[in-house]
Amino acid sequence: MKISFRHVATVTALLFLALALACLILAALGIVELMVGHVTAGILIAVAIEVALAAALLQVASTEEGNT
């Protein structure tokens, strides 16, 4: 059985995309909680970190896709 490295790169890129989506969902939930009033403005630090992490994961995913 041959192992296709293109397949591994695609699966890895999809994993990074899923993680980026999860980070963006958490960031959106933080903003919603702030708007509703359940949290204070301190949540914006976590939102910024989650958005930065999502951007980094998307960058890695695009690099992985380019390696196929």
Side-chain angles (χ1 to χ4, degrees):
M1 180 169 86
K2 277 185 158 180
I3 296 176
S4 171
F5 289 108
R6 284 184 0 171
H7 177 68
V8 172
T10 302
V11 170
T12 304
L14 286 174
L15 176 64
F16 284 124
L17 286 173
L19 289 172
L21 180 62
C23 287
L24 291 174
I25 289 170
L26 287 172
L29 287 173
I31 295 295
V32 169
E33 290 292 323
L34 179 64
M35 291 171 49
V36 172
H38 292 166
V39 295
T40 63
I43 195 72
L44 294 176
I45 295 170
V47 168
I49 291 170
E50 289 160 354
V51 169
L53 184 58
L57 288 168
L58 289 172
Q59 178 67 33
V60 171
S62 68
T63 303
E64 286 292 324
E65 289 264 329
N67 288 338
T68 58

